[in-house]
Amino acid sequence: MITPYEPLHRAAVVDLLDRSLLPEDAAEAADIVELLSGSAGFVAIDGDAIDGDVVGVALASTGRKDPSVGHLDLLVVDPAFRRQGLARELVAAVEGQLRARGLTAVRVAGNPPTHAWPGVDVRYTPAVCALTALGYAHDRTAWNMTADLAEGSPALRETRTAQERLAAAHVVVRAATTDDLRELRPLIAAQWGPAWVAEVERAVGGTGGCHVAIRDGQPIAFAAWGGCRPSWFGPMGTLPAAAGLGIGGVLLRRCLRDQADRGITRAQIGWVGPVPFYSGAAGAVIERVFFLFHKSL
C-alpha cells in the first residue's frame, strides 16, 4: 500500500534506511531523515496502515533555487521488496504530487541547503536502473572526496605553524560562535548565496562546527562541517582578496580535527570542485561518485 508520508512514519523510515543503505549512509540514517524532515512524499507499507512495516519511501521538495522544479530527495526500497514495482509506484506518486503543485520537472540532485547527497551514488545500482526505466536522464556526474581521519594522516596535520604565520600577517584563525553569524551571514550570502548561509547556521548552531579567519576585525574566510550530515565537510569559502595566504588548508584541517574528535573516522568532502586542493591539504581521495538525473513532467 502506498500512503502519504507522515511524521508518525519517521522512526520506521529511519529503520528502513538503516537496513537498506550503504554502511556509511546507514550510520547516519537518523540524521538524513531529520535533514529531510521538510520534504513531503509517500511510503510503501507491507500490510495495513496501522500494523504494516514501512518497506519503501520517496520524499521530494520544491527547488529552492528554481521553484518550478521538484527534487526527488530520497528513494529507498527494502532489499527484500525490490523488483515488485514499489519504486515505480512511489516515484509516480511523488511526480503526481509535484505536478499538482504546478512544477514542470524533477531533478535527482542536491537541493541545498538540505541535501543528503549530490545525486545517486553509483553503487546504488537498483536506484540507477529504476530511475532510468522511469524516464530519468543522467545529465551530470558529481563526486565526493574522502579524508582519512586516523591519527597521523595528512588530514590531521598540525596547523599551529601555519596559524603563527597567518598571525604575523594579522590574520587570526579561531572557532566560530553564534555571535559571529551576524557578520558571516551577509558575507556568505553576498559571495556564495543563501544556501551556504543556512548550512553554516546549522553547523554553528550545534549540528557541527565552523572555523573562521579574521583580519582587521572582519571575517575573510570560513569553513564548516556537519551542516547537513555529521561526517560531511563543507561549505568553505575565502574572499578573493585573501586568496593565496594558505587560509583554506588551515580551516579545512581544523574542521577535520573537530570531526575526528567526535569519533568520525572518515570525512566526506561533498560535491567537490578543487580536487588538487583537497588532495594536497588533507590527502583526500576521490571515492564516492554520483549520477544526477532530470525528467520533465
Side-chain angles (χ1 to χ4, degrees):
M1 177 176 63
I2 305 298
T3 189
Y5 173 75
E6 302 288 350
L8 61 88
H9 296 126
R10 182 173 297 188
V13 170
V14 171
D15 288 342
L16 170 66
L17 270 57
D18 184 59
R19 65 180 182 267
S20 305
L21 298 181
L22 294 165
E24 56 264 54
D25 292 331
E28 297 180 348
D31 299 288
I32 291 169
V33 174
E34 175 63 26
L35 178 69
L36 300 179
S37 61
S39 299
F42 297 86
V43 292
I45 296 178
D46 180 37
D48 61 60
I50 297 176
D51 298 321
D53 295 325
V54 172
V55 296
V57 62
L59 299 180
S61 58
T62 301
R64 295 174 182 87
K65 188 174 182 179
D66 181 356
S68 71
V69 173
H71 283 256
L72 182 60
D73 299 317
L74 183 67
L75 175 63
V76 178
V77 174
D78 187 310
F81 288 83
R82 290 174 184 165
R83 297 187 177 276
Q84 298 181 24
L86 291 182
R88 179 179 296 275
E89 292 183 58
L90 287 165
V91 172
V94 164
E95 290 177 352
Q97 187 180 63
L98 296 175
R99 195 178 290 109
R101 296 183 201 164
L103 277 61
T104 60
V106 187
R107 290 179 183 149
V108 186
N111 188 17
T114 53
H115 55 289
W117 297 273
V120 180
D121 188 310
V122 295
R123 292 174 293 172
Y124 289 120
T125 304
V128 172
C129 293
L131 290 169
T132 301
L134 293 172
Y136 285 77
H138 168 216
D139 55 10
R140 287 182 292 157
T141 300
W143 47 86
N144 285 6
M145 296 183 76
T146 301
D148 177 12
L149 301 187
E151 289 299 333
S153 71
L156 300 182
R157 294 199 313 268
E158 60 88 19
T159 60
R160 177 179 52 82
T161 303
Q163 287 177 225
E164 291 174 350
R165 175 178 49 79
L166 289 171
H170 309 290
V171 176
V172 175
V173 177
R174 60 171 174 79
T177 70
T178 53
D179 291 338
D180 291 308
L181 290 174
R182 181 174 58 85
E183 292 179 330
L184 282 173
R185 286 189 187 101
L187 170 73
I188 296 171
Q191 291 289 324
W192 298 285
W196 281 22
V197 174
E199 291 185 44
V200 171
E201 286 177 333
R202 283 200 301 262
V204 175
T207 64
C210 180
H211 292 262
V212 291
I214 307 292
R215 183 169 62 189
D216 299 328
Q218 298 296 315
I220 56 173
F222 74 95
W225 65 273
C228 286
R229 293 175 53 177
S231 65
W232 287 44
F233 167 84
M236 177 173 75
T238 300
L239 290 178
L245 298 177
I247 297 172
V250 172
L251 294 175
L252 166 64
R253 290 197 297 278
R254 284 175 64 98
C255 287
L256 296 177
R257 169 56 69 180
D258 281 355
Q259 290 176 288
D261 290 344
R262 293 281 187 94
I264 296 168
T265 59
R266 289 162 59 82
Q268 287 288 301
I269 304 168
W271 219 327
V272 171
V275 170
F277 165 74
Y278 289 110
S279 175
V285 297
I286 297 172
E287 189 173 58
R288 300 193 70 173
V289 177
F290 302 86
F291 285 174
L292 283 62
F293 294 88
H294 177 273
K295 179 182 180 179
S296 296
L297 289 176

